[in-house]
Amino acid sequence: MKVTIADVAKKAGVSKTTVSRILNGHLEHATEETRERILAVIRELDYRPNALARGLKQSKTNVLGIVLSNLQNPFWARVLEGVEDACRSMGYSLMICNSNEDPDLEEEYIKGLQMRQVDGIIINPTMKNFALYEALLNYKFPVVAVNRKMSGLEVDMVVMDNIKGSTLAINQLWENGRRNIAIMLYPFEGVSPRIERIEGYKQALRNNGAEIRDNLIQVVPEKKGLIKEATKELIRKSPDIDAIFSTNNMMTLEILEAIKELNLRVPDDIALIGYDETVWSKHLDPPLTTVSQPAFEMGELAAKSLIKKIQSKRSTKPKTTVLEPELIIRRSCGTK
C-alpha cells in the first residue's frame, strides 16, 4: 500500500503541513528534534513524495551530496579536496557519506540525501544498487559517477584510464628484467577499476611476449590481514616470483609486511609497484614506485560537472571524462 504524507504525519505526531514544510526545505518552522523525528519516519516508511520522485524541487538548496565507497583509503581524501574546492568556489556546500562498500548503507544515504533536498549527488558506487541508480536517472535527478563506471546507464562519469595505469607498471617491471610478475586484486564484483587493472596487466604481458600464469593472479577478499597471508602463501608456492603489482594502496603495506616476514628484500628479491601515490610512498625503505592518479582533479571535475548539470536548463548527452595516470619511478621497482 502506498505511503502518504498523512501516514508520515500520524506516525511522527505532527501535522501534514509540518511534514510538507520539512520536505520543501522550510526548516525554520520546526525544532531540530521535530525535523529529525520526521526524517526518521520518512526513512522508516520509505515515503517518496511525488514531486521528489519526479526529480522536481521547490527550491535550490545549493547543497551537494557525495557518497563514497571507502573513506579509509587516502585516495579519497584528495578526491574530496577537489570536490570541496569546486563547491566552495561555486557557492555550494557538501554533505559527505561513506557507504563502506555496503549496498544497504549506500541506498540509505542516497535516499537520505534526497530527503534533505540536495541539488545533486556525486557517487562512487558499490555497483550493487543498479535499480536505485536507474531510478535516480529516470527521475532526472542530477548524478555524476566518480572513479567507477556505471555501465548500462546514461550518466556523467569522471574516471581513470586504469588499463594504462597497469600497463605502465608492468612494462616498467619488464624493462627492469622481471619476468615472473604477480598481481594482487580485490574481488571484481562489477567494479570497473579492478576489472581494467587486471586487463592492463594481461595486455602488457602479452605485448611483451609473456604467458599469462593464473597462479600469479591473486584475487583476495577485502578484509584486513588477508592480503598479507595470501602474499606469503603465493611466494611459498611460487618461489620464482620476482615482482608484485599491488592494485590498491590499502593492500601495499600488507604485501610489504609479508615480504619482510619471509626475510626477503625489496627490490633485491621481489620488486614492487603500488597503485596510488600517498604521502608515505617516498618515505618507505626503499621508496615505493607508484601509479599516481590525479585524484584532486577527479574530484574537482566531478563537482563542476554536477553543478553545470544542475544549473543547465537543457538536457545534455551524458559525458565520460577519462583522466590519465602517471608512473612515479622509485627504487622499489628495481630501477638502479
Side-chain angles (χ1 to χ4, degrees), residues 172-222:
Q172 182 63 45
L173 291 168
W174 194 268
E175 288 174 14
N176 293 348
R178 310 295 166 145
R179 295 294 180 265
N180 301 300
I181 306 169
I183 182 171
M184 307 295 289
L185 306 119
Y186 291 131
F188 303 135
E189 298 179 333
V191 177
S192 58
R194 301 173 187 177
I195 296 168
E196 292 166 1
R197 287 171 194 178
I198 184 63
E199 182 57 32
Y201 166 84
K202 291 178 178 179
Q203 282 187 21
L205 288 178
R206 292 193 194 100
N207 291 341
N208 283 295
E211 64 173 322
I212 308 299
R213 294 170 53 187
D214 290 340
N215 65 305
L216 298 187
I217 299 173
Q218 296 290 301
V219 180
V220 183
E222 195 170 351

Side-chain angles (χ1 to χ4, degrees), residues 136-154:
L136 285 172
L137 299 170
N138 287 341
Y139 298 152
K140 308 300 182 186
F141 193 89
V143 174
V144 171
V146 66
N147 193 51
R148 296 176 177 179
K149 295 177 180 176
M150 298 173 75
S151 300
L153 296 173
E154 295 289 305

Side-chain angles (χ1 to χ4, degrees), residues 105 114 118 148 176 276 299 321:
L105 194 55
Q114 281 187 288
V118 298
R148 296 176 177 179
N176 293 348
D276 288 331
T321 302

